[in-house]
Amino acid sequence: MDSKEVILLKKALERQKKARIQAEKILEEKSKELYDTAQHLKEANNTLETLLSEKSSELDGVFINIIDPYVMMDLEFNVINMNSSARDFLGYDPSKEPLNLGGLVHPDYAQYTYESFQSLMEVGHLKNYKAKIIVKDGTEKYVQINSSLIYDKHQKPIAAQGILRDITQETEIKQLLAQQKKQLDIIVENSPLGIVLTVQDKIIKANATFSNLLGYSEEELKKQTVGDISAPEDVALSNKMIKKMSAGKLEKFSMVKRYYKKDGSFILAKTTVSAVKDKDGKVGYQVALVEDITRELEAEAQLKASEERLSTLILNLQTGVLLEDENRNISLTNQMFCDLFHIPVSPEKLKGLDCSKAAEENAKYFKNQNDFISRIDQLLAEKKVVLSDILEMKDGRILERDYIPIFSNGKYKGQLWTYQDVTISRNYKKNLEIQKEKYSSIIANMNLGMIEVDNNDIIQMVNHSFCDMCGFTKKELLGQKAVDILKVKDSSIIEKKGRKRLNGHSDSYEIEVAHKDGHPRFWLISGAPRYDDMKNVVGSIGIHLDITDQKQLQLQKEKLLKELESSNQGLQEYAHIVSHDLKSPLRSISALATWMNEDYKDVLDDNGIYNLLMMQEKIESMDKLIDGILKYSSITGDKLESGQVDLNMIVQEIREVIYIPENVHVLIMNPLPTINADRTKIHQLFQNIISNAVVHIEVEEGLVEISSEETPTHWQISIKDNGVGIAKEYHEKIFKIFQSVSDGERSTGIGLSIVKKIIDLYEGQIWLESTVGKGSTFHFTLKK
């Protein structure tokens, strides 16, 4: 439905509304008159009742003759009377057939009708009741009803009357307009273009696209003017165009504007503004379509820059370039082309010149003039790409020419000629061939064996050294499959490496082969893919080194290592046995000394008792020494267990286990790390260092400070004390077994050697900072 039809329908609707208003006015006047008469009947007699009857008849006549449908019904919705308009509209005649209005109501409006009737019963009148009904012919109609109750002389409602208005067309128009508005809203909100509605520069509405472009919400945009979000340099031109539009001199205009986004950046947008006028032709508001062209403009700038770079590149190429159109007129050339053919003008002056006679003019520069001319005619006739045509010139230069015909959508547009002086490179190739022959001779006689195979492992070339390595002659090898004739022990290695060569990979590996005489040999091979001129893999090249002697040495080394491991195991077992065997007589000597002290303490003098006590101390020292040796011999990497070890907990456990004098305090200065290690070995490590520290403190306030720091690969632990200190000449000595700077009773000389051995297992280091009389700091590292 177009806009003209909508306007006509609206005018018809207005006329109907005016007619209905007039009818309602008549109805209201008569209703008032009826109401006044009814009030008067309360105070009058039977004569007045007769008069009421006459007035009622008169009122009925008025309702019967009004234009709009009029219906009177009882309180059960049964029709008592209706005028002709109602009969025509509903299609029923109550004088011929009973009619219940409730049955005409559409089911969707049943509940609404019931509630409206209840309101009528309570108030006595009902206005603007709107519902959908189904008339006799099955047509659905929308009606609007104004109704009131009819009372008897006792003011008891006995019936209801009302005027119906057919609002079907009006409702359909409203629904159509609502649907069109909804569709328009959907189009606007989903448009890829920003759409803005403005009045006097004030933003009234903006769609989601425009909001997203600038990063504002619609509510934020409504608080701003177009000028607020536009670049100042664009505002003046935009306002000027808007004034022309308001004056009726302009219907629409377009311009590229810069809009500022909420984050402070901006976009470049093509803005098309159209005027929307009212019925009097006055501009009511403007609609602007905003298209973000920032990327397009950037792309255009980049394309232009690319074209300029390409043009500059061509002009400065060390290759002569000549671009001709379909009529053989010069479109583009460069300085190198002019130099190659001794043309004494600039490339710019050559544009547009006819090249159809150029071959004859330039043939004088070439050794074979006729071939040069006929070749150009052939290329132009065939119009096929030809690369690397070789041209020999009289002055000894050699040129390489490419011919490329240009087609656009299948239509011939001209050709591109390129000329390159390859005199040096051609001479270089000749020299390269000479060098290749020389190096081929070297390869053939070098001590390393070299072999070339194709992608099927067929031998293509071998040198003399390779033949000596395998025992086969060159004649026996060429054309044979390498993996078969060389009797590789594990042929799957060769197949696997062959697949890697096809993918362009190079590597080194070892294989075991059988010499022609049957003896096993070990080769170290460095393999690489072999390419043709088109960079396609056509095989592989292998450089072979006979490492049989080294391999045998390695096998001997592995054998010795196994024997050493077995020997170490035996030594550990021996240490346990010796420990047991040594401790047994020690325990016996200790018991005898104890018994002698108990039995003869009254007989022995002080010197004898002292000697017995010294004997017990020596026995205890010997016992500690045996335990230390056993612990030292048992520290190996084979028995290390791995788990999370919290060093803070380790220090706490050591505080509870070892004897710490009351004047000595062991403190953790910063949180120690949790490491992955053998808990027993780490406990042993910390306990030996901390025990040494606390027993060598002689000051009144002893202090042992434990701290840590992290490096990229290790944890560094520091244990500092304020004890007696260690002289510098002993800093290395104390970490060796049986070496100690204290007296024999206090130390076995094994504790710090155990510490050193544990730290070595974790690829760490230990060192000492100490000053005699001021204390010592042990630093050690453990690999993460």
Side-chain angles (χ1 to χ4, degrees):
M1 183 180 293
D2 58 23
S3 59
K4 289 182 178 180
E5 290 176 336
V6 172
I7 292 170
L8 291 174
L9 290 171
K10 286 183 176 180
K11 288 181 178 179
L13 185 61
E14 289 296 328
R15 287 196 297 269
Q16 286 187 3
K17 286 182 177 179
K18 289 178 181 179
R20 290 184 185 126
I21 291 170
Q22 184 177 1
E24 283 183 357
K25 187 175 181 182
I26 295 171
L27 178 61
E28 289 175 0
E29 290 174 354
K30 294 300 179 180
S31 296
K32 186 176 183 305
E33 187 177 347
L34 178 61
Y35 177 75
D36 292 340
T37 304
Q39 289 295 322
H40 186 64
L41 282 174
K42 292 180 181 179
E43 302 171 357
N45 53 23
N46 291 333
T47 304
L48 289 178
E49 289 181 5
T50 303
L51 179 60
L52 176 60
S53 177
E54 291 175 357
K55 289 293 181 180
S56 296
S57 298
E58 182 182 349
L59 183 60
D60 289 342
V62 172
F63 284 131
I64 292 299
N65 292 308
I66 63 175
I67 298 173
D68 288 326
Y70 165 76
V71 179
M72 183 184 294
M73 67 175 188
D74 62 18
L75 300 183
E76 300 295 330
F77 293 95
N78 296 309
V79 174
I80 300 171
N81 195 7
M82 66 170 62
N83 64 0
S84 59
S85 295
R87 285 193 293 270
D88 294 339
F89 177 63
L90 299 176
Y92 293 96
D93 187 351
S95 64
K96 297 179 180 179
E97 57 182 327
L99 174 62
N100 186 283
L101 294 179
L104 303 184
V105 178
H106 191 279
D108 293 345
Y109 290 80
Q111 181 63 29
Y112 168 60
T113 301
Y114 172 76
E115 294 171 356
S116 299
F117 184 74
Q118 293 298 318
S119 177
L120 173 64
M121 293 299 293
E122 293 174 4
V123 180
H125 58 84
L126 182 65
K127 288 187 177 182
N128 297 326
Y129 160 78
K130 296 178 181 178
K132 182 163 65 173
I133 64 172
I134 303 172
V135 298
K136 189 171 184 179
D137 63 3
T139 305
E140 294 182 352
K141 298 283 188 179
Y142 287 91
V143 295
Q144 178 179 319
I145 301 174
N146 290 323
S147 62
S148 61
L149 292 176
I150 300 174
Y151 300 90
D152 61 11
K153 62 182 180 180
H154 302 294
Q155 289 302 301
K156 181 180 180 182
I158 57 174
Q161 59 184 352
I163 294 178
L164 286 71
R165 291 181 182 175
D166 183 1
I167 60 170
T168 304
Q169 191 175 35
E170 179 184 344
T171 303
E172 289 176 348
I173 290 172
K174 288 182 179 179
Q175 290 177 345
L176 179 61
L177 290 174
Q179 185 177 4
Q180 290 178 341
K181 183 178 181 300
K182 184 177 180 181
Q183 291 173 347
L184 182 60
D185 288 343
I186 292 172
I187 293 170
V188 169
E189 286 302 318
N190 293 278
S191 172
L193 301 177
I195 300 177
V196 187
L197 185 67
T198 64
V199 174
Q200 296 179 350
D201 200 42
K202 183 71 176 177
I203 297 174
I204 305 302
K205 183 173 177 56
N207 69 348
T209 302
F210 188 75
S211 297
N212 293 335
L213 281 176
L214 301 187
Y216 290 101
S217 67
E218 185 178 1
E219 292 303 318
E220 289 174 327
L221 287 171
K222 287 180 179 180
K223 297 176 182 178
Q224 303 194 58
T225 64
V226 176
D228 294 336
I229 58 174
S230 301
E233 59 268 26
D234 296 329
V235 172
L237 177 58
S238 177
N239 290 340
K240 181 179 178 181
M241 303 301 285
I242 292 291
K243 287 180 180 179
K244 286 186 177 182
M245 182 176 284
S246 299
K249 298 178 181 180
L250 198 64
E251 291 293 328
K252 64 160 51 176
F253 67 89
S254 294
M255 63 181 293
V256 175
K257 291 182 63 176
R258 185 162 62 173
Y259 292 96
Y260 286 100
K261 300 171 69 174
K262 187 176 181 179
D263 61 9
S265 60
F266 67 88
I267 62 168
L268 289 169
K270 179 182 178 182
T271 305
T272 302
V273 182
S274 301
V276 179
K277 300 180 179 180
D278 58 18
K279 61 182 180 179
D280 298 324
K282 186 178 179 182
V283 176
Y285 50 88
Q286 291 86 26
V287 175
L289 300 180
V290 181
E291 180 183 4
D292 184 0
I293 59 171
T294 306
R295 292 184 179 178
E296 293 179 16
L297 293 177
E298 289 175 352
E300 288 179 6
Q302 290 174 359
L303 180 60
K304 186 176 180 181
S306 178
E307 290 174 350
E308 291 176 354
R309 287 195 298 269
L310 180 60
S311 177
T312 303
L313 176 64
I314 291 174
L315 291 174
N316 293 280
L317 276 176
Q318 295 305 303
T319 299
V321 177
L322 176 64
L323 180 62
E324 298 175 345
D325 63 18
E326 63 271 25
N327 299 316
R328 295 212 64 195
N329 295 322
I330 297 177
S331 299
L332 178 67
T333 187
N334 66 351
Q335 187 61 46
M336 180 55 69
F337 178 81
C338 296
D339 294 342
L340 286 173
F341 294 100
H342 308 292
I343 301 173
V345 296
S346 66
E348 286 295 323
K349 293 182 179 180
L350 293 177
K351 286 185 179 180
L353 291 181
D354 185 1
C355 291
S356 57
K357 302 296 182 182
E360 290 80 359
E361 295 172 1
N362 293 318
K364 60 186 178 183
Y365 296 113
F366 298 90
K367 280 186 177 181
N368 195 325
Q369 300 180 22
N370 293 330
D371 288 348
F372 174 73
I373 295 171
S374 61
R375 181 58 172 162
I376 288 180
D377 293 338
Q378 179 188 358
L379 294 176
L380 292 172
E382 293 178 353
K383 291 182 175 59
K384 294 181 179 178
V385 175
V386 176
L387 304 176
S388 303
D389 254 2
I390 298 300
L391 306 174
E392 294 186 11
M393 304 187 76
K394 285 184 178 180
D395 59 6
R397 289 181 297 157
I398 300 173
L399 301 184
E400 191 174 81
R401 177 180 63 194
D402 295 337
Y403 166 76
I404 304 172
I406 300 171
F407 293 90
S408 178
N409 297 323
K411 188 176 180 180
Y412 171 69
K413 291 293 184 181
Q415 54 272 329
L416 175 69
W417 305 89
T418 65
Y419 296 85
Q420 188 170 3
D421 189 340
V422 294
T423 308
I424 296 175
S425 63
R426 297 281 290 188
N427 293 334
Y428 173 76
K429 285 182 180 178
K430 289 181 182 179
N431 293 330
L432 191 63
E433 291 295 328
I434 296 172
Q435 295 294 327
K436 183 177 180 182
E437 291 179 5
K438 181 176 72 173
Y439 286 113
S440 295
S441 177
I442 294 173
I443 290 171
N445 295 285
M446 67 181 181
N447 291 328
L448 297 174
M450 191 179 80
I451 182 174
E452 286 187 13
V453 298
D454 63 13
N455 290 332
N456 296 316
D457 200 36
I458 304 301
I459 299 173
Q460 306 295 309
M461 189 275 289
V462 292
N463 69 348
H464 181 71
S465 296
F466 186 84
C467 295
D468 291 341
M469 287 172 61
C470 65
F472 293 96
T473 65
K474 184 182 292 186
K475 186 176 181 181
E476 290 174 320
L477 292 171
L478 295 179
Q480 300 295 319
K481 192 167 185 177
V483 71
D484 294 334
I485 192 169
L486 297 175
K487 300 178 183 177
V488 180
K489 184 176 181 181
D490 186 359
S491 60
S492 64
I493 296 177
I494 305 299
E495 295 172 0
K496 180 180 177 182
K497 300 299 179 181
R499 289 193 295 271
K500 293 185 72 174
R501 301 293 173 265
L502 291 175
N503 294 323
H505 294 291
S506 303
D507 60 4
S508 298
Y509 57 96
E510 295 180 12
I511 61 169
E512 181 180 348
V513 300
H515 192 270
K516 186 178 180 180
D517 61 11
H519 290 93
R521 308 296 293 177
F522 295 94
W523 292 349
L524 175 63
I525 302 175
S526 178
R530 186 165 60 92
Y531 300 94
D532 61 11
D533 294 338
M534 302 301 293
K535 301 299 181 182
N536 297 316
V537 177
V538 294
S540 61
I541 301 174
I543 303 297
H544 298 64
L545 175 65
D546 191 327
I547 58 170
T548 304
D549 294 340
Q550 293 92 324
K551 195 71 176 178
Q552 289 175 348
L553 288 174
Q554 182 181 349
L555 293 174
Q556 291 176 6
K557 177 183 175 182
E558 292 175 355
K559 182 180 179 182
L560 289 172
L561 285 174
K562 289 181 179 178
E563 291 175 354
L564 182 61
E565 289 176 2
S566 177
S567 175
N568 286 337
Q569 181 66 30
L571 286 173
Q572 289 183 20
E573 292 174 357
Y574 177 74
H576 282 81
I577 293 170
V578 169
S579 171
H580 178 272
D581 291 347
L582 288 175
K583 282 191 173 186
S584 180
L586 278 179
R587 284 192 289 270
S588 298
I589 296 172
S590 176
L592 288 172
T594 301
W595 294 340
M596 287 181 68
N597 186 36
E598 291 176 352
D599 294 341
Y600 300 102
K601 62 182 177 180
D602 296 332
V603 177
L604 293 172
D605 57 8
D606 292 341
N607 190 41
I609 293 172
Y610 173 76
N611 288 334
L612 287 175
L613 290 175
M614 288 297 296
M615 185 185 300
Q616 288 285 25
E617 287 185 6
K618 296 299 180 182
I619 292 170
E620 185 178 350
S621 297
M622 187 65 180
D623 186 69
K624 288 180 180 179
L625 181 62
I626 293 170
D627 285 340
I629 294 171
L630 185 60
K631 289 178 181 178
Y632 185 82
S633 65
S634 65
I635 297 174
T636 64
D638 297 338
K639 297 181 180 180
L640 286 178
E641 295 181 358
S642 185
Q644 294 296 306
V645 180
D646 186 346
L647 299 185
N648 300 281
M649 295 299 296
I650 292 293
V651 173
Q652 180 60 33
E653 291 172 2
I654 292 171
R655 284 187 186 130
E656 297 172 357
V657 170
I658 68 172
Y659 168 73
I660 300 176
E662 293 182 358
N663 67 314
V664 177
H665 302 281
V666 179
L667 303 178
I668 297 175
M669 305 308 295
N670 66 306
L672 302 180
T674 296
I675 64 173
N676 191 35
D678 185 309
R679 183 179 182 84
T680 302
K681 295 293 186 291
I682 298 300
H683 191 285
Q684 197 172 8
L685 165 63
F686 274 80
Q687 181 170 330
N688 276 315
I689 298 177
I690 295 172
S691 296
N692 277 347
V694 299
V695 300
H696 290 95
I697 294 176
E698 298 177 353
V699 296
E700 291 183 3
E701 291 293 331
L703 185 62
V704 177
E705 298 174 334
I706 304 172
S707 60
S708 68
E709 59 182 275
E710 185 178 5
T711 70
T713 57
H714 288 71
W715 290 106
Q716 180 175 318
I717 311 297
S718 299
I719 301 178
K720 179 181 179 182
D721 65 63
N722 60 347
V724 296
I726 300 173
K728 190 171 184 179
E729 58 267 25
Y730 295 106
H731 284 193
E732 295 293 334
K733 175 184 175 183
I734 58 175
F735 296 112
K736 297 178 181 179
I737 192 167
F738 304 131
Q739 300 294 319
S740 175
V741 296
S742 61
D743 55 53
E745 288 78 8
R746 295 181 115 185
S747 174
T748 63
I750 297 178
L752 289 179
S753 61
I754 290 175
V755 167
K756 177 70 167 60
K757 196 170 184 181
I758 293 172
I759 290 171
D760 288 343
L761 289 176
Y762 288 96
E763 299 181 35
Q765 293 181 333
I766 184 167
W767 65 98
L768 173 65
E769 295 177 1
S770 182
T771 303
V772 175
K774 293 184 178 181
S776 305
T777 302
F778 283 85
H779 302 281
F780 62 90
T781 59
L782 301 172
K783 191 173 183 180
K784 291 181 181 178

